[in-house]
Every structure is written in structure tokens, then in C-alpha cells.
Amino acid sequence: MSEAIEKIKQAKLEYKSDVKPTWCPGCGDYGVLASFIKALGELKIPTHKLSIVSGIGCSSRFPHFVKGYNLHTVHGRALPVALGVKIANPELEVFVIGGDGDGFAIGGGHIPHVARRNPDMVYIILDNAIYGLTKGQVSPTSTLTMTTTTTPYGALEPPLNPIMLLLAYGASFVARGFSSNTKQLTQLIVEATRHRGFAVIQVISPCPTFNMEITFDFVRERVVEIPPKHDPTNKLKAFELAMVQDKIYTGIFYREERPTFEGNLDKIVSKFDGNIDELSKKERLEKLFEQFA
Amino acid sequence: MSENGNLKDVVVRIGGEGGEGVMSAGEILTYSAARSSYRVFTFRTFPAEIKGGLAMYQFRVSPYDIFSMGDKLHILMAFNQEAFDNYSSALAEDGVLFYDPAECKPLDNFTRKKYEVPLKELAMASGTHLAKNMVATGFLSAVLGIPIEESEKQIADKFRRKGEKLLQQNLNAFRSGVEYAQKYLDELKRFRLGKPEGKDKRVILSGNQAIGFGAIAAGCKVAVGYPITPASPILEFLARHLPKFGGKVIQNEDEISALATCVGASYAGAKVLTPTSGPGLALMTELITYASMAELPVVIVDVQRAGPSTGMPSKTEQTDLYHVVFGGPGEAPRIVVAPAHVSDCFYQTVKAFNLAEEYQMPVIILSDQVLAYQTEAIPKPNLESIEVVNRLEPDYESQNSYLRYKITETGLAPIAVPGHPGFEYIAPGLEHNERGAPNYTPKVHTEMQKKRFRKLDVLAEKLENENDDYYEVKGAKILIVAWGSTYGAVREAIEKAEMNGIKVSHYHPRILNPLPKRKIRNIIGNYEKVIVVEQNYNGQFANILRTFVDYNPIKLNNYGGIPFTSEEIYNKIIEVAK
Ligand SMILES: Cc1ncc(C[n+]2csc(CCOP(=O)(O)OP(=O)(O)O)c2C)c(N)n1
Ligand code: SF4
Ligand SMILES: [Mg+2]
């Protein structure tokens, strides 16, 4: 057993896997990876208790670069996969990491349902307002009139507002960070992980290769920390901050304490004293057959 | 006909407006019969709406073993004109019609025997017009000789919660039906059932419920689904009962997320199941191949219904076979299991979980609308006789570096369950090396495809030596090959043929992918004629046989939405035998 403990100790120090990131030089996602690993160290989460789940995209390559019991799934489905991991083993620290297309376009139908369930997990959206992996198509957070490979005459759709959506859907922790501000981002990830419930961080993480509009400079010029006087338990005020267009607020917009989904599921099982041994289960099953005789 | 001129079994159909209690009348009769050791089969169709539209409940009851829901009706109980108009042609030559004169007027050209049963009038007399169905229940109990006490007990169970007054009214209605039947009893004595054979313990289950029981017995811990006819009752059954066995059940936002959540839970170590039907299966396809690629055990139940698209949701078909065997991006191994009858639904579900755990891939159970809703009084499944298999985990004490996707002779390598230090691994959808890291080289992809498919070869090799799905008749020149719910109709057609001097063998594989090719070639080689019976337009299994064992069988197909009758199959046997 001491060997196992030794392994745990080492694991804490070695979050980086031996797969090297394949991101373009200068990609915002490097800053997020660095912040994430720092946050894990601060939280002292052992890698065997860590589960990172992603969909498909440049950002969704994330779980290959960090040691853990990870899943690199299909485009847009990371959230419901992660929900399964969490309910089957609530002991695991579950993170979902992916892009704006993965989360808000193809996977957009899952966010409201995971949000209202409130499983204890962290969802980090690496928002570059473009489809990176597929080389530069428009995304749900691209700006109106933005030209991309599939909108050569300018995007016709206004971007959606992720923070407003998350607040409306009932995410119990909503924050925004910027990939270049790793100090703040690390703290946001730590806070989100400590939060019991569904915590979402939209990280503005520019794609210097394909997005010529939302660049590092563009973001730097507009980014402002949420004023310290903001009360994050006030949802109306959170909405007000989220509506601001000319500035990009970073920090925690909103947080609330609510029972978790896996906790509620466990309550149903406990109500029936469902975690009985195999022999008792057999007896119980025989009794259930009686009801159909 | 048996010795005393009575029928050996009786097929009864009750038809009426949805909401008139056709289903509960049928249920009370069948449960009472089954509790009194009769063999029972049921078949029902619902209108798509909760109220309104034509509903019907059909059952076949016999003191002897039966295999199917039967062919022609002996008795039609018509609550209204629509039931008469739609169902009277299904009556056998010597079948009889019971009808409510207040709601139904048989046409002049109707030549079968008919008897008035004033359902509405008698119901009103007992206090509520809503109890028409109880009058019918009482009447039919008396005609069939189903023990009255059993039916009364059922009515009491059903209405006690709804108050003493309603219970009394319904009991009165039931008794007035029994009473009214007395005047016809002499004339109808051939419908009276004989004493049942044997007294073994039986449970009354639908195919859907049997699958639910199978999942519990196999150790299912997470079930996630999205409602769809005819699969919803599986999710409903598990939602009610699985928590008592430590399991968690969720209705998700769609079928994609249903399978996604199952995949995640499986990765975390749980046995998982998602029930669906064709349209939901279509949405799951991408994730089925992910589970196959990441080598995660998942069980998917596809309760087939008539397609394409939304098709006829309350009708039956066997049309998803191509989809489950071949569907999805790329080539991804999966196992397909097809239960043949209600009892089989239980055992094949346990097997499906075992196969998923052992071979680390998706297993799809192909049921269908008929099997789903058909209730059968089956011998109580024997929990002692079943084996439960759990996934092979690595030796967590081992110091060797863990290779989740190690290339082995069988294609199988141990699966680590999260929580064990030093065994962290990624479940990849990308092609990967033995550690799970992305790798697109031709060599790796070729070796990994071989590795994943090798697992199917190992299973197929095992199946070469299993023979419990082959019902050989010595001297037969004809073989029927069928799969899934056609089993009963095939068995009865073969019995009928045998009585008429034609011997027929029957091969009814329960695992449709992979196939034991040598065994099938050997079986087929023994016969002059091979008929593949299935409920689809293309002859999907016949064509699969053509592809995999290079044999071109005679096809018998039915794709109207209602199950095969044994008569249709029997007629084909006669035609082929000539
Ligand atoms: C079902 C499906 N459709 C399309 C794709 C192709 N695809 C891969 S990633 C992606 C978009 C990626 O954008 P985003 O999620 O924003 O991630 P980023 O690359 O920008 O980090 C698309 C369309 C796919 N893999 N699967
Ligand atoms: S394409 Fe953009 S998002 Fe993708 S790795 Fe390169 S810079 Fe990053
Ligand atoms: Mg993006």
C-alpha cells in the first residue's frame, strides 16, 4: 500500500502527460493549459481522481496533455459523457474542456440540461470565436459581419451571449477569464473547482491563426475585472454585467449553492437502501418477481 | 379441437375506443388466466393519442404450451362500430362476435355467429357507464371459464385505491357480465378452457419488463434514455426499480446524450443500458462507434418499430438489422443480440451485459414492438442458473506501465477503472497507439483495426460450438432460419407442418453479429431448401447470410406492420415442399 501512496505523491507533481500539445505557436489555449495545471497543483487533486472530458476541436485536445482518467469523445457530447462519469463515481473531480463550436453550436442542446441538474463539475469553454480545428469557419460567438471561410460576405448572425445563457440556464457558478491572464484564470479554476455544483468558465482564448478580429490586442484593450463591489449572489446584477458589450468583464459573475445532481440521485438509492450486498439483491429481485406473479 | 370438442386454445380480441378500458379488461383476463396456470400470450396496439382512436387487446389462452399470439380470432368483443368495421374480418370461419347493440350494428353481409352483449346498459345499471369494460371482462371470464375469483381479486386491487364506491360499481358491472353470459353458455361451450397442465411458478411479463429484469440481474448500475414508443416502458420500469438495487436512472435531453451519459458511466466502471427505438438509434450511431473505438462496454436496446422515419410508431418490424450491424462512421465492431420470446428477453439481456463486459464493445439488443408489449406467463427466471461476468481489470499492484490498448492475440486487454493510481489512461475516439495517444500511421491503424475486430473473431469461434439455437428435426429437407420475435409463429408453423407429414428444422440464432460461419454453412448444407423468415422488405438477414456465408436462401418477408401469423409461414412451407 505504501507504494500506492508513493505513487499518489508523485502523481500530484506530474500532471503533464507525455503527449505534447499540437497547438499553433501563440495559441491562447497554452495559457489555459498552464493555468489549469497550476490550479490542479494548488487544489492537490491526484491524477487518479481526475477526469477530463472533451469533445472535438483544437481546444478539445486538452485531455491528451494532462494525466488523468480522461475521455476524448465526439464533437459536442462531452457534457453528457462527463455527467455519466460523475454519477457513476462521484469521487472523481470531473472537468469538461472544449471550444465555442463544440459547446454552443453542436453541443448547445446539452448545456441547459446539465446546468439545471447541477452536477459537481467544472466546464471550461475555450472561446476563440472561430472553428480552429476545421480551419477558420464562423462560430456562434463570432462577431456580426465577421468574414470567415464560410461567411466570405460577412456573418449574418449576431453572436450569442454565453454568460447570459449560462445564467438563464441555471449554472450555479458563472465566470469569465482571459487566457493571457493566467494568474486570474488559475484562481478562477480553483474557485470553480471548490464550488459544489456546475461551474462554468468562459475563457477568451484567441486563435491567432484563424481569427483576425478577436485578437489578443482586441481583447486586452477591452478586458476589465468585475468590480470588487459586485455581489456574485445577485443574479440580476450578474445579468447586467453580462449585458455590457463595450467591455469584456472577467471574474465571477454569479454563484449559488444548490444540491447536486449526483447527490440527489444518491438520495433515491439511499431511500431504498439500494447499496446492499449481492445476496440481499438476489432476495430483493426474487421479491420483485413475486409482484409479477 | 381437443377430444371433447372444445378448442385447445382460444384467441380473443377486444376492440374499442382508446380510453374505454380495453387494455385493462384484457389485462385482468390475462392475469387471472396466468395466475390459474394457463398459458397466455398477448398482443396489443394503442392509438397514438391517450384518448380517442381505436385500441385493441388480443390474447391467446390455453391450458397447454403455446408459442405465439395465434392467427385467426375465435372471439371478437366489439365495444363500438369502428372495432367491428376494422376487426370482424380477422375472425376465423367458426369465430363469434360479441357486440354492444347500443354502439355497434354488424353489417348485413356479416355471416359469422353474433351475440348481443349490452355492455353500456349493464354498466349504467351498475352505476357508471365507465364500467363497460368490466361487463365485458365478466362476460368473457364466464365464457372462457377463467376463475371468477381471480378476476374479482384483480378488480379489487385495481380500484381499491380509487375508493369503495367505484370498486363496488366495477365489481357489480363485472358480475352482471358473468350473469349475462349464462344464457349463452350452452351454445358457447366449445370456448371453455380445459384444466391447465403443470403448476410451475410463472411470472407474467412483457418483453420490455423481462429486459428490465435482465438488466437488474446482470448488475446494471446506470440506465439513461429518452422516451420513445415502444421502448419507454423499459426506462420506466428501471426508473422505478433500479434504485432499489443501487442503480441510477435518468431521462436525458435526447438519445445522443442518453448514450453519451452511458458511455461516461461505463468508463467510470458502471454497467450501463440505454433503451431506444429506430429513430433514437439513428441519433446514437456516432457514439456507438466511439464506444467501439474506445473499447467501452455499453448495452443498447433497440425496440424496433415500423419505419422509415417516424413510420408507424405503434407497429412492428425487423428493419434495423442493417443499421445495428453496419451503421456508423467507419468500421466499428459491435455485437448484436436478438431475443426470441419474453423469457429469452431476460436471459439474452443478461448475456448482452456479459458480452459487453467481456468483449469491451457496444452490444445491441434487437427487440421489437410485438415482443415489447407482448405479455407472456413464463416460468420464473432462475437466478441461480445465470452467470454474471464483470470486466477484466488490470492487476493494480503491478509495476509495469499500463497499456490500455495493448495489442494482444485476442484483441483484449484489461480495463482500468478510474480511481487507481498509476493506471490513468485516455479513452480516445481518435486512432491511437497502445497507450491511447493519437497516432495516424498506416501501420498503427491497420494493427488497431485488426485488434478490435479480432475480439469478434474470438466470439464467433466460441459460437461455432454452441448449438442451442438450432432445432434439428431428423429427416427434414427444409430449414427455416429466423431471428427475433418471429420465433413463436415459426415454431407453430413447423408443428402444423409436422402434423401434416412435412418435417422442418429451425435455426434461430440469438447472436446476429458476429456469425459462426462454418456452423451456418454446415447447417445449411444439410437441407434442400432454406427459407429465411423476417419482417422487412429487403430480407436483411437473408442478405447478410448471402454476404457472409455465400448462400442465397428463399425469402419470406412481411412488412405490413403486424407480426407474422403461423399460417403465413406454414403456407410457405407447403409451397416450398411441393
Ligand atoms: C459530428 C461532427 N461534425 C463536424 C466535425 C468537424 N469539426 C471538428 S472540430 C469542429 C469545430 C471546432 O470548433 P470549436 O469547438 O470552437 O473548437 P476549436 O477548434 O476552435 O478549439 C468541427 C466542425 C466533427 N468532428 N464531428
Ligand atoms: S488553429 Fe487556432 S485554436 Fe487551433 S491551435 Fe491553432 S491557434 Fe489554436
Ligand atoms: Mg473555437
Side-chain angles (χ1 to χ4, degrees), chain B residues 173-235:
Chain B
F174 173 82
R175 285 170 191 152
S176 69
V178 174
E179 187 55 41
Y180 194 83
Q182 304 306 316
K183 69 182 211 184
Y184 299 136
L185 278 194
D186 265 355
E187 237 179 291
L188 296 174
K189 103 169 159 264
R190 70 200 169 90
F191 294 114
R192 226 183 148 74
L193 299 163
K195 273 236 162 326
E197 277 180 345
K199 275 236 168 284
D200 49 341
K201 216 165 166 45
R202 285 177 183 264
V203 288
I204 305 154
L205 297 180
S206 67
N208 275 343
Q209 288 167 335
I211 287 175
F213 268 109
I216 296 174
C220 178
K221 281 283 140 30
V222 171
V224 192
Y226 185 78
I228 186 166
T229 303
S232 308
I234 300 176
L235 189 65

Side-chain angles (χ1 to χ4, degrees), chain A residues 57-59 98-102 126-133 139 141 205 207:
Chain A
C58 293
S59 41
D100 39 301
D102 190 76
L126 278 60
D127 187 354
N128 52 13
I130 196 86
Y131 284 14
L133 190 70
S139 113
T141 51
S205 176
C207 165

Side-chain angles (χ1 to χ4, degrees), chain A residues 23-24 27 29 58 128 132-133 206-210:
Chain A
W23 295 316
C24 310
C27 177
D29 294 357
C58 293
N128 52 13
L133 190 70
C207 165
T209 308
F210 293 112

Side-chain angles (χ1 to χ4, degrees), chain A residues 30 59 64 104 139 179 206 263:
Chain A
Y30 286 105
S59 41
H64 284 283
F104 298 128
S139 113
S179 60

